[in-house]
Amino acid sequence: MNPILEGNFNPAFHFLGLIQKAIADGITRHCVHPGCPDVYLVPSEQRYYTEASNIEALQALCLAAPFDLKVESVPDWRPAGHQEVQVGRMLIHKKNPATASKLATHPLQELLWYAALCASNGQLLQDRRADIPVRLTSSPDFSRLFHRQQDPKLAAFMVKQSAPLTSIAESTGVPLAQVFDFYNACAVLDLIEVEQGDVFDPANHLIGLLEKTRIDRQARRCALPGQTPLFLVPSENKYYSEADSAGIARVCAALLSKIEVSLIGNSDEEEVVQVGRMMVRRKKETAIPKIPARPLSELVFRAAFYASQGRLLRDYELHRPVRLKDWPDKTVLRESAFTEEERYFFPLAAYMTTHTASLPDIAEATHLPLTQVIDFHNACALSGLL
């Protein structure tokens, strides 16, 4: 797997992993690293104690490997000046100012965040991918958390919209390595929402209408407002349109609720026509333009492809091996060479007809973004090619 796309930063090899382990098992730990103030992790209080006045003084500790640390479990530890006293049958925790230590207490979440930000070193968390859309459920509290100049900019972008980390770096102008650092820190605070589970529902797009048309055999006129319409004629297995490839792609990608759909031959409008010597009133039919027809199968493929937008069809698994049993329509492949969004159709078809592999493995082998592989996969699936 391309290391730029799939993460290999393992917290277990850093102080971050030790903090996570302490939170998981609830055991207090005393952590020592040469040249760095001691740190006491107290997960039962969700706090840590240290003499450091600034969290940046703990950078060497956060960058250290576990075997470079001296760690001692101290389950019953209390900072000097803190003691438990018996009051009747109860133990009460109280402070004694006279014997108070120099240790200051801080929220453990602040150290968790800082440790992730430091140790990531431009590497994405293991088992995470840079080409899967993600967003922030809420912005980190920068009034309390250490942050770099670019972090609020990234937070503002990621709260408003979902996007792959690669796209976030491109849109914000922040280097991808720094985006990874920020993402990792947000992930350990559970602020990340992954859009990978967002499934593609054909019923919400033109591809769903094409399936309905195939069943009821009704001809239809479909158009986005202000766009050249498509005429679907299932009895002929054809469609007609004067729209160019970009216009067809726009209709395919649009939500069905945005498309004006009317049945051909069932208009409520009437017209008077002459039949022999008689004038007859009849329902007005929608005229199909006198242009060459195209196979409806081409439109099915493109409708699925452009509507998918990186979302996998329901009941399909990202890591389940797939293979093409037949090539897509030759006309589609031939025309794809002249359309930027479709130029990878041929190499994908060539690979998938000769190999059985999961979608991430296909993306790696063909050097294509996973989202593009998913779109092509969905088009093939709904065309009966898998």
Side-chain angles (χ1 to χ4, degrees):
M1 182 62 65
N2 186 339
I4 294 178
L5 296 181
E6 187 172 52
N8 55 11
F9 167 57
N10 187 348
F13 298 155
H14 302 274
F15 181 57
L16 172 62
L18 186 64
I19 303 174
Q20 292 175 321
K21 185 176 181 180
I23 292 173
D25 62 26
I27 297 175
T28 298
R29 287 170 170 82
H30 178 205
C31 307
V32 180
H33 181 68
C36 189
D38 290 8
V39 169
Y40 291 86
L41 306 177
V42 188
S44 61
E45 300 177 11
Q46 285 298 303
R47 311 286 293 182
Y48 74 97
Y49 291 79
T50 182
E51 291 185 4
S53 58
N54 189 309
I55 198 168
E56 291 180 79
L58 303 178
Q59 183 179 35
L61 180 67
C62 294
L63 292 174
F67 50 79
D68 289 333
L69 302 176
K70 179 182 177 182
V71 181
E72 178 186 6
S73 296
V74 284
D76 299 324
W77 179 84
R78 289 284 184 276
H82 293 237
Q83 58 181 333
E84 290 180 344
V85 296
Q86 185 92 28
V87 179
R89 296 182 179 180
M90 299 178 62
L91 282 175
I92 297 178
H93 180 76
K94 72 174 187 178
K95 295 182 180 180
N96 183 351
T99 58
S101 73
K102 297 180 180 178
L103 294 176
T105 179
H106 308 275
L108 195 54
Q109 293 285 295
E110 293 180 11
L111 185 58
L112 193 66
W113 165 277
Y114 181 71
L117 209 60
C118 284
S120 295
N121 194 30
Q123 294 181 313
L124 184 61
L125 270 171
Q126 61 180 3
D127 300 326
R128 305 296 177 103
R129 289 189 59 87
D131 54 355
I132 297 297
V134 296
R135 69 181 303 152
L136 283 180
T137 56
S138 61
S139 179
D141 184 359
F142 293 120
S143 67
R144 305 188 65 175
L145 298 173
F146 170 87
H147 58 278
R148 303 160 304 178
Q149 183 177 0
Q150 70 273 11
D151 293 340
K153 181 179 182 180
L154 290 171
F157 182 92
M158 294 174 67
V159 164
K160 290 181 180 178
Q161 58 187 291
S162 175
L165 298 181
T166 48
S167 299
I168 293 170
E170 182 178 353
S171 298
T172 60
V174 176
L176 186 59
Q178 295 179 14
V179 174
F180 286 169
D181 293 345
F182 178 76
Y183 169 88
N184 293 350
C186 290
V188 299
L189 293 193
D190 199 25
L191 298 177
I192 296 293
E193 180 180 76
V194 181
E195 297 291 322
Q196 188 173 349
D198 187 17
V199 296
F200 170 49
D201 186 354
N204 295 329
H205 300 271
L206 179 66
I207 182 63
L209 181 65
L210 288 171
E211 175 61 18
K212 183 178 180 180
T213 298
R214 183 187 67 81
I215 295 171
D216 65 22
R217 311 303 290 172
Q218 291 277 2
R220 288 172 169 83
R221 177 187 184 274
C222 308
L224 286 172
Q227 300 288 321
T228 304
L230 303 177
F231 296 86
L232 313 178
V233 188
S235 61
E236 302 175 6
N237 283 321
K238 304 288 185 181
Y239 80 98
Y240 299 77
S241 182
E242 295 177 308
D244 59 13
S245 58
I248 291 174
R250 282 193 289 272
V251 179
C252 291
L255 289 172
L256 190 57
S257 60
K258 304 294 184 182
I259 302 175
E260 296 175 350
V261 181
S262 57
L263 295 176
I264 297 176
N266 290 297
S267 172
D268 291 332
E269 296 182 32
E270 293 186 338
E271 61 180 354
V272 177
V273 296
Q274 185 164 352
V275 180
R277 295 182 179 182
M278 298 176 61
M279 300 301 293
V280 178
R281 183 179 294 276
R282 69 180 185 185
K283 288 186 177 180
K284 187 176 181 179
E285 294 187 359
T286 303
I288 296 175
K290 295 180 179 179
I291 57 174
R294 298 180 66 89
L296 208 50
S297 59
E298 292 181 16
L299 187 60
V300 169
F301 191 92
R302 288 194 166 95
F305 170 77
Y306 283 107
S308 294
Q309 299 177 21
R311 299 168 298 173
L312 190 61
L313 280 163
R314 191 181 302 278
D315 299 327
Y316 284 85
E317 298 175 9
L318 195 65
H319 295 282
R320 185 174 68 190
V322 294
R323 185 188 182 104
L324 282 184
K325 61 184 181 183
D326 201 0
W327 286 70
D329 188 284
K330 290 182 173 56
T331 304
V332 171
L333 291 177
R334 184 171 60 249
E335 293 177 350
S336 68
F338 304 100
T339 305
E340 184 176 355
E341 292 80 8
E342 303 177 2
R343 285 178 182 168
Y344 61 88
F345 281 6
F346 189 89
L348 262 182
Y351 184 85
M352 293 176 67
T353 52
T354 56
H355 297 79
T356 301
S358 68
L359 300 185
D361 287 341
I362 293 170
E364 179 184 8
T366 57
H367 306 291
L368 290 169
L370 180 59
T371 51
Q372 293 182 348
V373 175
I374 289 173
D375 294 345
F376 183 79
H377 163 274
N378 290 352
C380 292
L382 294 176
S383 298
L385 301 176
L386 290 183

